Amino acid sequence: MEKVYLINGPNLNMLGKREPEIYGKTTLGQIVRVLKMLSRKRDVRIKHFQSNHEGKIIDKIHSIANKGFKGLIINPGAFTHYSYAIRDAIKASGLKTVEIHLSNIDKREDFRKISVIKEVCIAQIMGLGPTGYIKALEALLDAKDEESAGSKSEL
Ligand code: DQA
């Protein structure tokens, strides 16, 4: 059975209550539950971690490198826009990584249009709400073995 890691960054624990006009009313628990259910159909096991702390996210990425994971799906929240440390951790881990955002960061404030992690990801999915997590899982499972951090394909 393949294993996939899912990491959600700061403020994503507030989904459902947080700016529902942007992020919707679905909670993180609901998103993870549906993803786990769908992944079982593809014989894949999802492990999930959410943190509001940059260092904890980095430690988690380090700890899952070389542990037999097919890859990582990450919504780094606002860290997306400035955390070179998370970018470096993804690169160092060698994990095949898909970046996911609920909202369309290209269509929001200027500071959100920048993703410092996208170059170390094989795909960037945004603007699809909770469905984006399913697309991210599909992108990861369908990725060819030679694709890894740093070889991005456009979706
Ligand atoms: C987000 C977009 C980020 O700009 C924001 O800081 C978030 C959520 C998204 O999923 O749309 O926390 O990553």
Side-chain angles (χ1 to χ4, degrees):
M1 187 184 262
E2 302 247 54
K3 299 183 292 176
V4 167
Y5 222 97
L6 169 66
I7 295 180
N8 280 286
N11 300 307
L12 292 161
N13 55 315
M14 299 290 289
L15 285 179
K17 293 190 206 116
R18 170 192 185 203
E19 298 177 272
E21 63 291 355
I22 298 175
Y23 299 113
K25 290 194 176 154
T26 310
T27 65
L28 186 59
Q30 289 167 331
I31 291 174
V32 173
R33 224 170 297 135
V34 169
L35 202 66
K36 284 190 172 182
M37 207 180 71
L38 292 175
S39 66
R40 258 178 252 129
K41 291 196 181 141
R42 287 194 67 167
D43 212 22
V44 174
R45 179 148 166 254
I46 307 262
K47 297 262 268 173
H48 177 235
F49 177 72
Q50 188 277 328
S51 178
N52 295 319
H53 305 277
E54 187 179 24
K56 288 191 179 164
I57 293 172
I58 293 165
D59 287 345
K60 181 57 74 180
I61 295 170
H62 293 170
S63 76
I64 61 175
N66 305 313
K67 294 272 162 62
F69 284 90
K70 165 86 179 168
L72 169 67
I73 298 168
I74 186 166
N75 183 345
F79 288 141
T80 304
H81 315 301
Y82 64 92
S83 178
Y84 297 115
I86 290 179
R87 175 197 168 108
D88 284 352
I90 293 171
K91 183 90 182 174
S93 74
L95 284 163
K96 206 173 283 179
T97 300
V98 177
E99 175 186 356
I100 153 85
H101 301 284
L102 293 142
S103 64
N104 185 344
I105 58 172
D106 279 349
K107 299 246 163 76
R108 297 184 63 194
E109 302 96 316
D110 282 349
F111 77 89
R112 290 187 208 274
K113 292 181 180 145
I114 295 163
S115 165
V116 301
I117 75 153
K118 83 171 186 194
E119 279 161 12
V120 295
C121 294
I122 58 163
Q124 188 191 40
I125 292 167
M126 61 171 89
L128 299 175
T131 309
Y133 283 84
I134 299 167
K135 295 268 175 230
L137 178 65
E138 283 165 0
L140 191 59
L141 296 179
D142 294 344
K144 301 200 181 54
D145 279 344
E146 60 273 19
E147 277 179 280
S148 65
S151 63
K152 181 177 181 289
S153 68
E154 295 290 340
L155 277 189

